[in-house]
Amino acid sequence: MTGAPTVRVAEDPADLEACFAVRKEVFVHEQGVDEAIEYDAYDAVAVHVLALRADGTPLGTGRLLTGEAAVAKTGADASVGSLGRLAVSRRARGLGIGAALVRAIEEAARARGLAAVDLHAQTQALGFYERLGYAAYGPEFLDADMPHRAMRRVL
């Protein structure tokens, strides 16, 4: 890859399409998530972040839910944001893109006055999030037929 990737908040409909394309590649095609549940009403109100290669190729994405959209996922605590739909294209894995996306989502959460960020991690990704300062809590549960754990990081 030439040039350092950039990670930023999605700014326009083209950025949002790029976010959705990465999610489709990773969740729908690789992991077999039903497309009908991959995209939801939260997409319209979320803050989306996007990682782009220097040539504009989308490499990864994630989203932050705040306020009422986050409450159902964070134990009814409006001071906590919900990080979700974190996906990195296969060609960009191992390059630090996932960590950069998480940090960009945390920065967006801080900018909105949030005290912490929760997420629902696929169990196989717990170590990744733990290295970024997240702690698991509660029992394992199924989401899209895959085992997950809730995790939180205080900002």
Side-chain angles (χ1 to χ4, degrees):
M1 239 183 276
T2 58
T6 57
V7 177
R8 60 176 171 76
V9 171
E11 299 169 350
D12 57 35
D15 283 352
L16 199 54
E17 281 184 35
C19 293
F20 290 163
V22 172
R23 284 170 47 185
K24 186 171 188 173
E25 172 192 339
V26 172
F27 296 126
V28 177
H29 295 304
E30 284 183 37
Q31 297 183 358
V33 173
D34 185 340
E35 199 165 354
I37 64 170
E38 173 52 32
Y39 307 101
D40 58 26
Y42 296 123
D43 283 325
V45 297
V47 176
H48 297 268
V49 295
L50 176 63
L52 295 165
R53 197 165 63 188
D55 68 2
T57 302
L59 301 174
T61 189
R63 74 179 187 188
L64 172 69
L65 302 179
T66 62
E68 287 183 33
V71 165
K73 298 176 179 286
T74 62
D77 187 343
S79 73
V80 179
S82 177
L83 182 159
R85 302 302 203 266
L86 189 75
V88 176
S89 178
R90 185 183 307 252
R91 68 186 166 276
R93 291 183 193 147
L95 302 175
I97 301 294
L101 287 162
V102 170
R103 297 304 185 220
I105 289 168
E106 291 170 350
E107 186 55 39
R110 273 189 211 90
R112 286 157 180 80
L114 298 177
V117 172
D118 268 18
L119 58 89
H120 294 163
Q122 291 180 15
T123 303
Q124 51 88 12
L126 286 173
F128 166 77
Y129 290 110
E130 287 169 343
R131 287 188 295 278
L132 294 174
Y134 286 80
Y137 66 90
E140 186 174 275
F141 60 93
L142 290 179
D143 187 2
D145 294 324
M146 290 179 272
H148 284 69
R149 291 279 308 276
M151 302 186 84
R152 177 172 288 183
R153 179 169 187 258
V154 175
L155 299 176

